[in-house]
C-alpha cells in the first residue's frame, strides 16, 4: 500500500491564540497517538477540522494556521460557525449520537441539520479528493463522517477506504427508526473495510444491511453488486506504555518533584490510611450513566453504613457539549445529586464525593488512577471506554479493582472485572462492597490478566491490525477485479468463440439468465431471453444446454420452443434435443419421506418458507422468510441434515436462499461431463451463479471458459456482475461482436 491518509472530524492539533499569536496545540488523546504513528509511517496527510471557525478569525489568521498545519502534514477543512452548529452540534450530536447510544427519546429529526451534515461530509470528501492518488488508502473515523466513504469511492474507485466507528452500532430495531437510514448505510458501504470495537456492533450492522439493503453476507464479508466489503471487530487499545511509565515515574518521584494535587492526595492518605477511594471519570454525557452511579453510591452508603466515613467517591466530569439542552439538564441533575449525597452523609471531617467539573492535565489523571483503590465505570452505553484501560495500565503495583458496566464495549475484553448492569443500582452498591472487601491476592490475580492482555493489544497494535487488514482487503478486491470480464477478456473469449468449430455452452437458469423472483414459478423466460437463446442456437456450431436445479417438467415446458438440451435437478435428468428424458445415474427416492418430515418441521417454524418436491430431491426455500430468521434456520437445518445424510449417501446443496437434499455424486459437474461424453468440442463455456455451479467450474476441462455471475468467491475463471450483463455478453457473442 503506498500512502495512508487519515480523515477525522478533528485534526490532532487545535489552533489557539496566545498573546495574539497563533499556536498549534497537539491533542494528547489515544486516537491522535495511534493515528500519528500511521500517517507518518505511510507518508500520508491527516485531514480534518482544526477547531477554527472561519467567521471568527481573519483571512490572515486562517492562512497562518493553514501553513503551520501543512508543516505537520495536516490539511484543515474550514468550517463556519453555522456549519459547526448544524452538522456537528446538530445532526452528529443531536441525531446520530443519541440514536446509536439507544437514547431514542433524545433523537432530533431535522431536515436542516441533515442537509448540513451531507454538505459538510461532502466538504471533507472534496478536501480529501484533492490529496488522494490512485492506489492510496484513507482511514476515515467516526459517526460525524458516515457519508464520506461513498462520496470518495464514487469519485475514485481505486482508493482503498477504511472506516472505523468509535461508538456503538445499534440494533436493527433502533437503527431503522431514522428516516435517513439508507443514505447512512450506503455512505458507510463506500468503504472497503469497516471496523467496530466489538462483534456485537458488527452483528447489528450486518443485520441492518441484510434487512434494509438485502446484500448477501458470508462470514464477515458483504457482497455488493460489484465489490466485497470486509467488516471486522478491532477493539481499540490505549498507549499502554505511556500510562505505565508515567505511573512508574510517579512511584519514584521525590517530594520536591510532586504536583500540588499529589501532595494533597498524600496528605489525605497519611491522615486517613484506611480510607478507600473510588474513581469515576467521564465526559459529562448522558450515555455515561453518571446519575445512576451517584444513586448507586447513595444506595451503598445506605445499605452498608459501616463504610460511611471510610469511602470517598472521586468524581471527575469533563464539560462536554454544554450548548445542548440534554447536557445542561444532566449537569443540573448531577450537581443536585452530589449536593444531596454530600449534604446527607458528609460532616466536617468527611465529604463522601469530591466532584471536579473540569478537564485535568495528563499527569493529574495518572495520579488519580494510581491513588484510587477502585474504578467505578458504569456507562449505560459506551462504544469502548478507554478510561477503564487507562486505570489498569496505571496500576503498576498490581492491585486495584474495576467495576464495569456490561454495556461498555470494553467489558467484552475484561472478564476479570466486576461486571454490573448500570441500571441496577442495588447490584452496583453490592459490587462496591465486593470491591472494597476483595482480598489483595485476588485483586492482583485479576489485574495481572487484564494488564497482560492490554499491554499486548495497545493502540499501536490496534492501528497496525486495521492497516494490515486494509492491505489484505486490497488483495481480495484485486482478486475480484482480475476475474471480472473487461474489454480485453471479452475480446479473447470472443476470439476463441469465433475461431471454434464445435461449441458446448452450459447455462444455469435462475440467477444467471434470469433474476430471482419471490415465487419461483414466476421466473419463466421472458421474450428477450428467449430471443437471445434462439439466436445462440441458430448457429449450428453451438450445442446449448440449460443446466438447472429445476424439475424436468418446468424446464421442459419453459424451453419447449427452443432447440436446447436440458439438464434438470442438478443432473438427475438429461434431455438431448429431439430425445426423451433419461437418468444417466442410478438414483433412488426412498429417503424422501424421512427427510421431508424434517423439512416440514422447519417450514412450520419459519414463516415464508416452503418445500419444493422434485423427483429425486427436496428443496427448502427461504427467500421469503425474515432474512435473519431464514439464515439462522438454514444453519440449524444444515446442521441437522449433516448428521443424517452421510449414511444415506445423500448430499446437501446450498443454493441462493435454498437448501436442497439430493442423491450423492449427482451434480452439475458430473452431469456436464456425462453430457460431453467422448464428443470433441473446441470451445466449452459454462455460466452459473451459485454454489451448485461450482461443481461445473471445477470439473469441466481446464480450457473451458467458466463464468461466475455475482461477486462471491468462485472456482470460475471469470465473473460477470449481473443477469443483465450475462444477457448482453451472450447477445454480443452470438452476434459475433468483437468488442462489447
Ligand atoms: P469518549 O466518549 O470520549 O470516546 P472514552 O473512551 O472513555 O470516551 O475516552 C475519554 C478520554 O478522555 C480518556 O482518554 C480519558 O483519559 C480522558 N478524560 C476523561 N476525563 C478527563 C478529565 N477530567 N480530564 C482529562 N481527560 C479526561 C469515544 C467513545 C468511546 C470510545 C472512544 C475511543 O464514546 O466509547 O472508547 O471514543 O474509540
Amino acid at each position: 500500500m503506498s500512502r495512508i491518509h487519515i480523515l477525522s472530524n478533528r485534526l490532532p492539533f487545535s489552533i489557539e491564540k496566545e498573546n495574539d499569536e497563533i499556536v498549534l496545540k497537539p491533542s494528547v488523546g489515544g486516537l491522535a497517538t495511534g493515528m500519528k504513528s500511521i500517517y507518518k509511517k505511510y507518508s500520508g496527510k491527516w485531514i480534518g477540522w482544526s477547531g477554527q471557525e472561519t467567521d471568527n478569525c481573519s483571512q490572515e489568521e486562517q492562512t497562518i494556521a493553514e501553513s503551520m498545519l501543512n508543516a505537520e502534514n495536516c490539511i484543515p477543512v474550514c468550517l463556519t460557525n453555522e456549519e459547526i452548529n448544524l452538522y456537528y452540534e446538530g445532526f452528529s450530536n443531536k441525531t446520530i449520537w443519541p440514536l446509536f447510544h439507544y437514547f431514542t427519546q433524545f433523537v432530533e429529526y431535522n431536515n436542516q441539520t441533515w442537509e448540513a451534515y451531507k454538505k459538510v461530509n461532502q466538504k471533507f470528501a472534496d478536501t480529501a479528493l484533492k490529496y488522494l492518488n490512485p492506489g492510496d488508502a484513507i482511514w476515515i473515523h467516526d459517526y460525524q463522517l458516515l457519508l464520506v466513504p461513498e462520496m470518495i469511492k464514487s469519485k475514485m474507485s481505486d482508493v482503498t477506504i477504511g472506516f472505523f466507528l468509535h461508538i456503538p452500532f445499534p440494533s436493527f430495531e433502533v437503527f431503522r427508526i431514522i428516516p435517513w437510514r439508507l443514505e447512512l448505510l450506503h455512505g458507510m458501504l463506500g468503504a472497503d473495510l469497516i471496523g467496530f470495537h466489538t462483534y456485537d456492533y458488527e452483528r447489528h450492522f450486518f443485520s441492518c444491511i441484510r434487512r434494509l439493503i438485502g446484500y448477501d453476507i458470508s462470514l464477515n464479508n458483504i457482497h455488493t453488486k460489484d465489490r466485497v466489503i470486509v467488516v471486522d471487530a478491532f477493539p481499540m487499545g490505549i498507549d499502554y506504555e505511556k500510562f505505565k511509565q508515567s505511573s512508574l515515574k510517579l512511584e519514584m518521584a521525590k517530594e520536591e518533584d510532586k504536583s500540588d494535587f499529589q501532595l494533597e492526595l498524600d496528605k489525605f492518605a497519611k491522615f486517613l490510611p484506611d480510607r478507600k477511594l473510588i474513581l469515576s471519570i467521564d465526559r459529562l454525557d448522558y450515555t455515561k450513566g453518571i446519575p445512576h452511579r451517584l444513586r448507586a453510591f447513595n444506595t451503598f452508603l445506605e445499605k452498608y453504613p459501616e463504610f460511611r466515613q471510610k469511602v470517598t467517591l472521586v468524581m471527575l466530569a469533563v464539560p462536554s457539549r454544554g450548548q445542548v439542552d440534554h447536557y445542561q439538564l444532566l449537569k443540573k441533575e448531577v450537581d443536585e445529586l452530589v449536593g444531596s449525597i454530600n449534604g446527607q452523609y458528609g460532616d466536617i471531617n468527611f465529604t463522601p464525593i469530591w466532584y471536579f467539573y473540569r478537564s485535568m492535565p495528563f499527569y493529574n489523571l495518572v495520579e488519580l488512577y494510581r491513588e484510587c483503590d477502585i474504578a467505578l465505570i458504569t456507562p449505560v452505553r459506551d462504544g469502548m471506554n478507554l478510561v477503564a484501560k487507562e486505570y489498569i495500565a496505571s496500576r503498576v503495583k498490581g492491585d486495584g479493582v474495576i467495576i464495569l458496566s456490561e454495556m461498555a464495549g470494553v467489558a467484552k475484553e475484561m472478564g476479570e472485572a466486576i461486571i454490573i448492569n448500570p441500571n441496577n443500582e442495588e447490584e452496583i452498591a453490592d459490587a462496591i462492597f465486593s470491591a472494597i472487601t476483595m482480598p489483595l491476592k485476588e485483586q492482583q490475580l485479576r489485574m495481572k490478566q487484564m494488564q497482560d492482555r492490554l499491554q499486548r493489544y495497545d493502540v499501536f497494535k490496534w492501528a497496525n491490525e486495521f492497516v494490515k487488514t486494509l492491505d489484505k482487503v486490497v488483495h481480495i478486491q484485486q482478486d475480484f477485479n482480475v476475474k471480472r470480464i473487461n474489454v480485453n477478456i471479452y475480446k479473447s473469449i470472443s476470439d476463441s468463440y469465433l475461431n471454434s468449430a464445435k461449441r458446448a455452452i452450459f447455462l444455469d437458469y435462475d440467477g444467471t439468465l434470469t433474476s430471482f423472483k419471490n415465487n419461483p414459478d414466476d421466473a419463466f423466460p421472458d421474450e428477450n431471453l428467449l430471443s437471445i437463446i434462439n439466436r445462440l442456437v441458430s448457429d449450428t456450431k453451438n450445442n446449448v444446454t440449460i443446466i438447472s436445479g429445476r424439475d424436468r417438467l418446468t424446464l421442459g415446458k419453459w424451453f419447449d420452443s427452443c432447440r436446447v438440451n436440458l439438464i434438470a435437478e442438478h443432473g438427475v435428468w438429461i434431455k438431448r434435443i429431439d430425445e426423451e428424458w433419461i437418468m444417466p445415474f442410478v438414483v433412488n427416492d426412498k429417503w424422501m419421506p424421512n427427510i421431508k418430515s424434517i423439512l416440514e418441521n422447519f417450514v412450520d417454524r419459519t414463516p415464508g418458507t416452503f418445500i419444493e418436491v422434485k423427483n429425486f430431491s427436496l428443496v427448502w426455500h427461504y427467500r421469503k422468510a425474515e432474512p435473519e430468521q431464514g439464515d439462522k434456520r438454514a444453519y440449524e437445518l444444515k446442521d441437522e441434515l449433516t448428521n443424517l445424510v452421510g449414511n444415506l449417501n445423500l448430499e446437501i446443496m446450498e443454493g441462493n436462499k435454498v437448501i436442497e437434499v439430493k442423491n450423492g455424486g449427482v451434480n452439475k459437474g458430473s452431469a456436464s461431463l456425462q453430457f460431453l461424453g467422448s464428443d470433441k468440442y473446441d470451445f466449452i463455456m459454462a455460466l452459473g451463479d451459485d454454489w451448485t455451479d461450482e461443481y461445473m467450474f471445477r470439473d469441466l476441462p481446464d480450457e473451458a471458459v467458466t463464468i461466475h455471475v455475482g461477486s462471491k468467491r468462485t472456482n470460475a475463471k471469470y465473473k460477470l456482475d449481473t443477469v443483465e450483463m450475462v444477457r448482453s455478453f451472450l447477445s454480443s457473442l452470438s452476434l459475433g461482436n468483437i468488442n462489447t
Side-chain angles (χ1 to χ4, degrees):
M1 200 176 298
S2 45
R3 295 192 303 167
I4 301 180
H5 310 276
I6 308 295
L7 185 81
S8 62
N9 176 51
R10 288 299 299 263
L11 283 172
F13 296 92
S14 51
I15 309 283
E16 288 180 19
K17 251 181 168 177
E18 271 178 12
N19 304 325
D20 270 350
E21 291 248 321
I22 302 265
V23 288
L24 289 192
K25 286 271 158 90
S27 315
V28 289
L31 179 66
T33 318
M35 288 306 101
K36 266 184 198 161
S37 68
I38 296 294
Y39 90 105
K40 290 200 167 146
K41 181 170 165 197
Y42 292 92
S43 322
K45 304 277 181 209
W46 188 324
I47 299 147
W49 183 49
S50 67
Q52 227 182 6
E53 285 164 0
T54 47
D55 32 14
N56 288 348
C57 55
S58 66
Q59 186 58 49
E60 190 196 346
E61 284 171 340
Q62 283 180 48
T63 315
I64 297 173
E66 188 166 345
S67 68
M68 288 169 87
L69 286 167
N70 289 348
E72 300 285 344
N73 280 318
C74 288
I75 310 297
V77 177
C78 298
L79 298 178
T80 64
N81 205 336
E82 194 192 9
E83 283 172 334
I84 282 297
N85 261 334
L86 297 174
Y87 137 83
Y88 180 67
E89 277 148 20
F91 197 77
S92 301
N93 288 340
K94 289 183 182 164
T95 305
I96 302 181
W97 178 270
L99 183 80
F100 280 34
H101 286 88
Y102 296 74
F103 279 80
T104 49
Q105 71 279 28
F106 291 176
V107 178
E108 287 186 9
Y109 306 102
N110 180 331
N111 262 319
Q112 201 194 1
T113 59
W114 163 242
E115 288 303 323
Y117 185 81
K118 281 197 289 188
K119 193 175 134 215
V120 173
N121 269 240
Q122 191 64 59
K123 220 172 180 178
F124 274 85
D126 291 344
T127 312
L129 282 163
K130 282 191 211 150
Y131 293 89
L132 287 167
N133 290 328
D136 282 3
I138 184 163
W139 183 353
I140 302 166
H141 288 267
D142 227 0
Y143 66 103
Q144 303 91 351
L145 302 171
L146 294 174
L147 303 178
V148 176
E150 168 57 20
M151 288 170 170
I152 294 183
K153 191 55 120 192
S154 59
K155 292 266 167 53
M156 265 188 111
S157 59
D158 43 9
V159 163
T160 308
I161 302 175
F163 179 83
F164 190 85
L165 187 71
H166 289 262
I167 63 174
F169 194 91
S171 72
F172 167 69
E173 284 302 335
V174 168
F175 184 75
R176 72 191 303 183
I177 297 171
I178 191 169
W180 307 282
R181 58 199 188 181
L182 283 180
E183 287 91 331
L184 295 176
L185 286 183
H186 282 296
M188 292 173 79
L189 288 175
D192 302 292
L193 170 65
I194 301 175
F196 299 99
H197 281 305
T198 72
Y199 173 66
D200 278 346
Y201 309 151
E202 182 185 334
R203 197 163 57 74
H204 294 156
F205 180 68
F206 280 151
S207 141
C208 292
I209 297 291
R210 259 194 220 107
R211 283 161 178 250
L212 295 170
I213 301 187
Y215 286 150
D216 272 350
I217 293 165
S218 58
L219 289 172
N220 52 349
N221 297 344
I222 300 175
H223 299 265
T224 71
K225 286 207 178 90
D226 55 357
R227 281 185 315 131
V228 172
I229 298 162
V230 177
V231 182
D232 214 339
F234 302 86
M236 185 175 166
I238 55 162
D239 185 352
Y240 190 93
E241 278 305 306
K242 182 174 160 196
F243 282 88
K244 183 179 169 184
Q245 294 310 327
S246 311
S247 178
L248 282 171
K249 209 164 136 195
L250 284 170
E251 182 99 356
M252 316 289 176
K254 295 190 196 114
E255 250 351 68
E256 60 268 28
D257 296 331
K258 288 186 175 171
S259 70
D260 291 346
F261 189 63
Q262 180 67 54
L263 291 173
E264 285 299 316
L265 288 170
D266 286 352
K267 234 191 283 172
F268 177 79
K270 202 163 154 198
F271 181 55
L272 291 166
D274 294 332
R275 181 73 61 89
K276 294 279 183 197
L277 292 183
I278 303 178
L279 181 64
S280 144
I281 299 191
D282 326 78
R283 265 186 317 102
L284 191 72
D285 194 293
Y286 49 79
T287 61
K288 304 286 182 183
I290 302 172
H292 305 64
R293 195 177 311 161
L294 286 167
R295 283 193 292 268
F297 185 60
N298 189 55
T299 307
F300 167 76
L301 293 175
E302 225 171 73
K303 190 169 174 186
Y304 299 98
E306 66 276 25
F307 287 105
R308 277 188 197 164
Q309 300 280 327
K310 295 187 178 131
V311 175
T312 298
L313 176 65
V314 185
M315 201 174 88
L316 237 78
V318 189
S320 176
R321 303 173 196 171
Q323 310 80 339
V324 181
D325 294 351
H326 299 301
Y327 288 76
Q328 290 163 4
L329 287 174
L330 173 69
K331 164 89 171 48
K332 190 161 170 278
E333 188 183 4
V334 169
D335 288 352
E336 283 172 7
L337 276 167
V338 171
S340 143
I341 297 171
N342 278 345
Q344 191 174 351
Y345 297 104
D347 61 28
I348 290 180
N349 298 315
F350 173 66
T351 309
I353 304 173
W354 298 348
Y355 174 35
F356 303 88
Y357 176 58
R358 55 172 178 267
S359 188
M360 279 214 180
F362 171 76
Y363 55 89
N364 285 155
L365 267 189
V366 182
E367 284 162 358
L368 275 176
Y369 286 144
R370 283 177 49 80
E371 220 57 46
C372 293
D373 309 274
I374 295 160
L376 184 58
I377 298 169
T378 59
V380 279
R381 264 319 140 171
D382 212 339
M384 170 53 71
N385 194 296
L386 299 179
V387 170
K389 296 189 170 183
E390 294 168 1
Y391 176 73
I392 288 170
S394 308
R395 304 299 298 177
V396 289
K397 284 192 194 139
D399 61 347
V401 184
I402 186 157
I403 300 173
L404 207 51
S405 160
E406 65 182 52
M407 311 292 179
V410 69
K412 297 273 176 292
E413 291 173 77
M414 293 198 188
E416 299 82 3
I418 301 182
I419 306 286
I420 50 89
N421 175 342
N423 299 306
N424 188 338
E425 287 157 18
E426 185 92 13
E427 190 188 4
I428 301 177
D430 293 340
I432 296 176
F433 175 78
S434 308
I436 292 174
T437 51
M438 188 182 284
L440 181 63
K441 264 227 152 79
E442 186 178 343
Q443 292 181 30
Q444 287 168 332
L445 199 75
R446 291 177 184 228
M447 190 55 80
K448 169 93 177 54
Q449 288 174 0
M450 292 189 278
Q451 286 182 332
D452 287 350
R453 205 174 310 130
L454 290 187
Q455 193 155 13
R456 279 196 303 272
Y457 202 92
D458 64 5
V459 71
F460 304 105
K461 175 99 174 150
W462 168 76
N464 283 328
E465 286 294 310
F466 191 91
V467 168
K468 239 169 50 193
T469 313
L470 199 57
D471 197 34
K472 264 196 229 149
V473 174
V474 177
H475 289 112
I476 295 176
Q477 307 234 337
Q478 276 167 354
D479 191 25
F480 272 78
N481 291 335
V482 164
K483 291 192 158 184
R484 181 162 299 121
I485 295 184
N486 55 24
V487 179
N488 291 337
I489 296 176
Y490 173 77
K491 243 180 135 264
S492 83
I493 296 174
S494 150
D495 281 351
S496 32
Y497 178 84
L498 293 174
N499 293 326
S500 53
K502 191 173 179 193
R503 310 173 190 129
I505 300 173
F506 295 97
L507 303 171
D508 165 52
Y509 186 69
D510 297 276
T512 300
L513 294 178
T514 190
S515 304
F516 289 101
K517 301 278 186 310
N518 267 345
N519 182 353
D521 292 342
D522 295 341
F524 48 81
D526 53 76
E527 286 304 313
N528 167 263
L529 176 61
L530 290 175
S531 76
I532 293 171
I533 292 178
N534 282 330
R535 203 161 45 235
L536 264 181
V537 300
S538 67
D539 185 335
T540 50
K541 293 175 184 166
N542 289 344
N543 198 0
V544 178
T545 304
I546 306 290
I547 182 164
S548 165
R550 291 226 178 219
D551 68 86
R552 63 184 171 134
L553 290 179
T554 308
L555 282 190
K557 191 170 73 193
W558 284 356
F559 290 98
D560 189 33
S561 63
C562 298
R563 294 195 60 75
V564 287
N565 311 288
L566 299 173
I567 297 181
E569 297 192 24
H570 303 290
V572 173
W573 295 99
I574 293 186
K575 181 183 182 307
R576 291 175 191 270
I577 301 167
D578 295 333
E579 291 180 16
E580 291 304 311
W581 286 100
I582 56 157
M583 273 174 56
F585 305 100
V586 181
V587 289
N588 75 73
D589 58 2
K590 294 203 174 61
W591 52 273
M592 289 176 76
N594 284 341
I595 299 290
K596 188 159 178 255
S597 72
I598 296 175
L599 298 189
E600 276 163 354
N601 178 269
F602 275 75
V603 169
D604 292 344
R605 292 192 296 136
T606 324
T609 67
F610 62 92
I611 302 170
E612 184 188 352
V613 181
K614 299 186 190 173
N615 290 151
F616 292 95
S617 71
L618 290 170
V619 194
W620 181 66
H621 289 255
Y622 61 99
R623 178 170 309 282
K624 285 195 279 181
E626 276 277 301
E628 275 216 331
Q629 197 189 18
D631 287 344
K632 199 172 136 252
R633 287 277 191 269
Y635 290 137
E636 257 180 66
L637 176 59
K638 261 190 293 175
D639 191 46
E640 203 163 310
L641 290 173
T642 310
N643 296 326
L644 287 172
V645 293
N647 295 337
L648 299 171
N649 190 27
L650 300 175
E651 215 170 286
I652 308 168
M653 310 247 291
E654 207 188 345
N656 200 319
K657 304 288 178 200
V658 295
I659 288 186
E660 178 154 4
V661 189
K662 52 181 266 307
N663 288 274
V666 183
N667 55 50
K668 288 185 181 176
S670 51
S672 53
L673 287 181
Q674 171 80 23
F675 182 86
L676 292 174
S678 53
D679 291 355
K680 291 269 172 280
Y681 291 90
D682 53 358
F683 181 89
I684 300 173
M685 180 168 79
L687 282 85
D689 73 306
D690 73 17
W691 197 73
T692 62
D693 301 303
E694 294 296 313
Y695 286 106
M696 253 194 316
F697 302 152
R698 190 194 62 193
D699 294 348
L700 283 172
D702 287 349
E703 62 277 12
V705 174
T706 49
I707 303 173
H708 165 77
V709 184
S711 60
K712 298 206 176 105
R713 279 213 167 275
T714 177
N715 291 310
K717 287 190 187 130
Y718 308 113
K719 286 181 188 188
L720 282 169
D721 290 336
T722 59
V723 167
E724 290 68 38
M725 287 178 175
V726 170
R727 290 186 178 198
S728 82
F729 170 79
L730 293 175
S731 267
S732 301
L733 266 191
S734 64
L735 290 169
N737 288 349
I738 305 291
N739 296 306
T740 190

